[in-house]
Amino acid sequence: MSLNNDTLNGNHGLVKIINDDVLRTELINPKSIDLIITSPPYNVEIEYNSSLDNGDYSSYLNWTEQWLTRCFRWLKSSGRMCLNIPLDKNKGGQQSVGADITTIAKSIGYGYHSTIVWNEGNISRRTAWGSWLSASAPYVIAPVEIIVVMYKDQWKKSTAGTSDILREEFIEWTNGVWTFNGQTKKGAGGHPAAFPVELPKRCIKLFSYVGDTVLDPFLGSGSTLIATKQFGRCGIGIEIDEGYCKVALQRTNDHKLSQLDLTF
């Protein structure tokens, strides 16, 4: 099945899961996506089922450039991306992950809009301090993640639409520091690195219209699709692991979703 704008228009809440590799799938048409919300692997040795997360940093950035390029082609001219990534990391050496990935995206052609700081209320306890109580070589670690907000050709949406964000939500969420808990592994069907539904919920209501098409190219346990259904958007998720596709299917079913299409 080929997904295009004609397929999705008029089907608010349609949900599609594609079991494929983001670098290979041909089921997303160019210029068909209004908003991308995703959190790619962080290359910090998380044990995923079907992909490695422990490559050298240069290879990781090269792979990042490849999938960001594909996503750029899929976005409409006024399409947007909300990219949840680490601010930095120290596993395997100190790296400015957020700055490096943002620079890559800008070199591809993305316009930069803003960065939201996500302060997770349940951040895990630190175990690495560097030189304890010494100026010799201490580690400085910010217990936050970021959501980089970018766009394709223009920030202002080119067509009118219906917004469903409430006054109180708009005031709170346009403050670029968000505080809410992360997602537990148990609550995400065992997925080791899921984000909570609250994250795509805020991005969807703030940056898209009702009926827009939202893509998550690293679907994982399905949080983005749960939010798209709840708020009347069309949702597409790409996930390389068949097991995680089934987890996403189960989670969306548990939220009493309908019109769900699963493609293997």
Side-chain angles (χ1 to χ4, degrees), residues 3-259:
L3 294 181
N4 54 44
N5 210 37
D6 293 334
T7 305
L8 295 173
N9 278 345
N11 289 289
H12 295 188
L14 175 69
V15 175
K16 177 114 182 144
I17 298 175
I18 301 170
N19 180 208
D20 204 351
D21 186 336
V22 64
L23 298 185
R24 293 198 305 262
T25 187
E26 298 298 331
L27 293 178
I28 311 293
N29 280 2
K31 301 180 181 179
S32 64
I33 303 299
D34 295 287
L35 175 64
I36 294 174
I37 304 170
T38 198
S39 184
Y42 289 178
N43 198 42
V44 291
E45 301 178 17
I46 293 175
E47 294 184 4
Y48 295 107
N49 287 347
S50 299
S51 58
L52 297 176
D53 194 47
N54 60 353
D56 68 85
Y57 193 59
S58 61
S59 297
Y60 174 70
L61 294 182
N62 179 63
W63 170 78
T64 298
E65 181 176 16
Q66 292 178 60
W67 72 258
L68 279 173
T69 298
R70 296 211 87 196
C71 287
F72 189 78
R73 295 171 185 151
W74 294 332
L75 283 172
K76 295 178 180 178
S77 180
S78 58
R80 298 161 173 180
M81 172 178 279
C82 295
L83 181 57
N84 173 217
I85 49 179
L87 176 62
D88 51 26
K89 77 180 187 79
N90 67 350
K91 184 170 287 189
Q94 302 289 107
Q95 301 291 352
S96 54
V97 182
D100 294 341
I101 292 180
T102 302
T103 298
I104 289 171
K106 290 168 68 176
S107 73
I108 292 168
Y110 289 90
Y112 173 81
H113 178 67
S114 60
T115 296
I116 297 163
V117 176
W118 172 26
N119 180 26
E120 291 187 63
N122 60 343
I123 196 73
S124 59
R125 186 179 296 275
R126 287 184 58 180
T127 58
W129 301 90
S131 58
W132 172 252
L133 297 180
S134 169
S136 172
Y139 291 161
V140 179
I141 302 172
V144 299
E145 296 188 3
I146 59 175
I147 303 164
V148 183
V149 183
M150 299 175 287
Y151 59 94
K152 189 171 183 177
D153 296 326
Q154 64 209 45
W155 174 246
K156 187 173 182 179
K157 291 179 75 68
S158 56
T159 58
T162 301
S163 291
D164 57 351
I165 191 167
L166 304 177
R167 178 181 182 274
E168 296 77 12
E169 292 172 335
F170 189 87
I171 292 171
E172 179 184 352
W173 299 348
T174 51
N175 180 329
V177 179
W178 292 355
T179 300
F180 53 88
N181 287 350
Q183 175 65 58
T184 64
K185 184 175 179 179
K186 181 179 179 181
H191 192 282
F195 54 46
V197 175
E198 182 69 17
L199 190 154
K201 166 190 168 180
R202 293 186 182 204
C203 295
I204 284 168
K205 295 191 75 177
L206 189 58
F207 298 120
S208 73
Y209 291 142
V210 175
D212 277 358
T213 300
V214 179
L215 169 69
D216 188 340
F218 299 97
L219 181 62
S221 63
S223 297
T224 298
L225 295 192
I226 292 170
T228 62
K229 179 61 181 182
Q230 287 178 339
F231 299 103
R233 275 65 168 177
C234 302
I236 306 172
I238 304 170
E239 173 53 51
I240 194 171
D241 183 76
E242 182 175 343
Y244 294 149
C245 285
K246 292 177 179 178
V247 169
L249 175 62
Q250 183 62 55
R251 289 186 75 212
T252 50
N253 284 339
D254 288 346
H255 282 75
K256 297 181 173 60
L257 304 185
S258 60
Q259 300 184 76

